Amino acid sequence: MEPNKLTIPTVLVVFGATGDLMEKKIAPALFRLHKNGRLPKLFQVLSISHREMSGEDFQEHILSILKNTPGSEGDVPSMQAFVSLFSYVSGDFTDDNLYQQIGDHVGGIDKSWSACSNKLFYLAVPPAHYANITKRLAQFKLTEPCSEDTGYTRVLVEKPFGHDRGSAHELNELLSSLFKEEQIYRLDHYLGKRMLQNIMAFRFSNNFFEGAWGNKYIEKVEIKLLEANTAEGRGTFYDALGALRDVGQNHLLEFLAVVAMDNPRSFKSDAIRNARTRILEKLVVPSAEMILKNNYRAQYEGYQEHEGVEKNSSRETYFKLVAYIDHPLWAGVPFTLEAGKGLASQKKEVVITFKNNKNKMLFKLEPDESIQLDLWAKQEGYEMSVEEKRFLLNERDTKTRVQYTEEYEKLLLDAFLGDQTFFVSSSEVDAEWRFIDPIICAWDDNKTTLGRYRVGTDAPRDIAKATLHELMSPVEELPRNIALVGLGKMGANLAQNLLTHEWNVVGYNRSPEPTDKLVPDGLVAAYSLEELVSKTPSPRVVWLMLPHGEATTSTIEKLSTLLHADDIVIDGGNSFYRDAQKHYDVLHEKGIEFLDVGFSGGPYGALTGACLMVGGNKKLFEHLLPLFTTIGSSGGVAHFEGIGAGHFVKMVHNGIEYGMMQSLAEGFNLLSHAPYDIPLDTAAYVLGNGSVIEGRLISWLASAFSKYGTNLESVKGSVDALGEGGWALEETENKGLINWVTKASVDYRTYSQKNPDFTGKILSAIRGEFGGHVVTG
């Protein structure tokens, strides 16, 4: 934010100035900004409402509000200076004369300041008035800047942004027809909460958390807005919405977006808003089946007796639902969204539960405000035993916090400064309604039961917990048993990876030595496919890590005679994608399931976390997701629908890999002929850290220089071609496309067999590092 922008004269025009929003939030927030010297130097509030009163009477009204606002007691001089900034105009929002008066009044303020002021129009009114007000603001040219250089105009609107996706779209169409997106400030006060902003700061300013953020390590995320107070006194408003529209479609989903969004790489407004939008657009739209299984709703007893609530109202005052995100980093992680009124206690928090030891990270808003880490540390005493310890960070005394006011302080200040970071974009609103609409429609059609509960109890939470319990623990649904065929460099490391993560692994290799070598690490040895099948608990998951072609095909044909219906075969080798359909057909005839997995990362990735491109049926992929996230890298697991799709993606990956390696080799060959003494190892190291070409391939090149010396004397200058790059080239030509880079790199490998050179040495060295290929001699 740029404080010098506060030197620009500013007029805030508030429609609905005698309503609750002005009384409880806007006026107290503006007063605190005034006391803290954060209002523009020249500032006026033009207050608009239908109530007849004079400007002096309205100032007295504002003064009485401040005198009854916690934290403002006794500061009468500041209050009187502040209320002098307010003026008042009464009128009907549909009356053209009102907008003529507003224009005259704003023009008079500009004239008295001898300046072209910025104008903000705050619609603190029900959404039904938006069209009347905004159209007339445009009609009377009140939204046009009074100068090309200064005098911005902005409009602030409060949630709810529509009551469904259709009405939200209509609202956006209306606003966008009159304003540019950068002029529209959609205000959801939860985005102004310090703790929501702290989640971002905590995640993206402490890089060591990023590696653990996602489905590899996180079991579930719970977002809770639980309130002890009821809807009494707000019956008309609340009954038009219900809990899901009131806080689910906006507050809870914005918290979800901040927890799950990709690193925006900067704290600039566009980067953050785009990151929130992208993750919200990845929410899985719930099917009818998911709605029946993944949510619970209830209404507290006595709700229908509140003034303004319809008799026999079916509006929920409590809900809990499970959301999933179709994103490689979050596939399979349940996000539970829970909110309600009339419960036993006030609790607003985000709880992130990690796998295995169940470490927890809590971002707590109420009753205490803190970041809490539940970790394991050594117990006091001689024995090496551990106990759970709680670490509290950023704890703030609730007495120093002014509920709602500080959120509006933040958001109003940002609006003055032109910072839209914590305002909702039109794309976010659309993505949120896209997810929520099917649930609301199902509830309105009474396709799910509306439970009942007594005020002051947690009865609905207990029922929801029991109902949705199975959905909270997807890892437990898949037995941790697997059979592994092929224990070469890749297969052996994959077995080690699984054993480290406490999977029961039965392993078979055509030659027994690799099998025997892994037995001390916990591998259950099998020396034939028959023994492998007999030692693997049913239903079986059999992973093949074999060379493509005959080795894989013959093994699948043999397994088709040994396995039972509902067993699963996974081909994780470098098979040609068209072979996957043949393998599927052989197994499908016997009722055996099949998936193809493109596997990238080499032996090191097999041991520590690889990139997995999974083809085949999505339901089968989801069933096996705990397996894939165990052995995959964080964010490196994705499904591609269709038999062979995973291997097709891997084939294209191999073509790209050929081209990238060729480019690196040719570039470093040129460096070796430079008119300067350039140490190639230093060049590889520095280019692998922060340059636009940094990555694993260049880091492997640096490792090879360290291992073999920069001359690579012992490395052969001819490069083997295993065929995968050729498949990509063939597929390109079959589709009438041209892939210059892949063609050149494939041709070079053939050329190098008779014409070895330093470029070939570099290529061979890189292949040796990531694939464990023999490159010397």
Side-chain angles (χ1 to χ4, degrees), residues 339-471:
K341 289 184 174 293
L343 299 169
S345 60
Q346 200 91 346
K347 181 180 290 187
K348 300 180 181 182
E349 62 186 17
V350 176
V351 183
I352 298 166
T353 302
F354 292 85
K355 295 177 180 178
N356 299 327
N357 288 335
K358 308 294 184 185
N359 301 123
K360 288 187 178 182
M361 181 182 300
L362 288 81
F363 297 92
K364 305 180 72 172
L365 289 80
E366 293 181 30
D368 302 315
E369 188 176 69
S370 64
I371 299 174
Q372 176 182 310
L373 298 174
D374 290 347
L375 304 175
W376 295 93
K378 185 183 179 301
Q379 283 184 341
E380 186 176 349
Y382 298 110
E383 292 77 17
M384 188 56 195
S385 54
V386 297
E387 63 181 348
E388 194 172 34
K389 296 281 189 178
R390 177 161 294 175
F391 297 84
L392 288 177
L393 306 171
N394 200 46
E395 191 168 22
R396 183 165 61 143
D397 189 339
T398 53
K399 294 179 181 178
T400 67
R401 178 164 46 111
V402 182
Q403 180 78 313
Y404 300 124
T405 299
E406 68 176 33
E407 292 92 338
Y408 276 80
E409 284 180 69
K410 165 67 176 169
L411 295 172
L412 284 167
L413 178 60
D414 284 355
F416 297 149
L417 296 171
D419 185 347
Q420 289 185 301
T421 303
F422 297 108
F423 291 86
V424 186
S425 69
S426 60
S427 300
E428 288 174 84
V429 173
D430 183 69
E432 290 167 348
W433 279 119
R434 175 176 168 270
F435 172 75
I436 292 293
D437 263 6
I439 302 171
I440 288 178
C441 289
W443 290 357
D444 287 346
D445 292 342
N446 292 315
K447 292 181 178 177
T448 62
T449 303
L450 179 68
R452 303 285 178 183
Y453 64 99
R454 288 185 302 162
V455 171
T457 71
D458 275 337
R461 300 196 66 213
D462 296 336
I463 295 172
K465 184 176 181 181
T467 305
L468 306 180
H469 174 71
E470 290 184 3
L471 296 164

Side-chain angles (χ1 to χ4, degrees), residues 504-709:
N504 303 311
V505 183
V506 182
Y508 163 71
N509 195 71
R510 186 176 59 179
S511 56
E513 292 79 13
T515 306
D516 295 336
K517 190 174 180 180
L518 288 166
V519 169
D521 295 319
L523 183 83
V524 177
Y527 297 97
S528 67
L529 287 176
E530 290 84 353
E531 186 179 2
L532 178 104
V533 170
S534 69
K535 287 186 173 180
T536 305
S538 181
R540 300 169 186 84
V541 177
V542 182
W543 186 298
L544 308 185
M545 215 60 167
L546 298 169
H548 65 79
E550 178 58 25
T552 297
T553 298
S554 61
T555 301
I556 286 177
E557 290 174 346
K558 178 70 173 177
L559 286 171
S560 73
T561 67
L562 299 173
L563 295 174
H564 302 158
D566 296 328
D567 287 346
I568 301 167
V569 173
I570 301 170
D571 180 7
N574 260 339
S575 294
F576 186 41
Y577 82 95
R578 288 181 184 159
D579 290 343
Q581 186 65 51
K582 301 174 187 175
H583 298 153
Y584 170 82
D585 291 341
V586 168
L587 296 167
H588 183 66
E589 186 179 345
K590 304 291 183 65
I592 302 166
E593 302 281 4
F594 174 81
L595 287 178
D596 55 287
V597 177
F599 196 108
S600 179
Y604 180 78
L607 182 64
T608 62
C611 173
L612 306 181
M613 298 145 268
V614 185
N617 179 273
K618 186 166 187 178
K619 284 191 175 180
L620 188 56
F621 163 76
E622 291 172 345
H623 171 65
L624 294 172
L625 191 58
L627 167 63
F628 296 136
T629 55
T630 296
I631 60 179
S633 62
S634 183
V637 177
H639 173 258
F640 302 93
E641 187 68 38
I643 302 298
H647 280 152
F648 187 91
V649 176
K650 179 57 163 53
M651 176 190 72
V652 175
H653 156 281
N654 288 340
I656 295 169
E657 176 192 298
Y658 268 47
M660 291 174 68
M661 290 173 61
Q662 187 70 28
S663 179
L664 277 176
E666 292 177 4
F668 274 81
N669 190 20
L670 178 58
L671 282 176
S672 73
H673 290 82
Y676 307 96
D677 182 15
I678 297 178
L680 296 187
D681 53 351
T682 301
Y685 182 84
V686 72
L687 292 177
N689 287 279
S691 78
V692 296
I693 63 168
E694 73 170 320
R696 300 183 79 176
L697 289 173
I698 201 167
S699 69
W700 279 317
L701 177 56
S703 174
F705 283 140
S706 176
K707 182 183 295 184
Y708 302 113

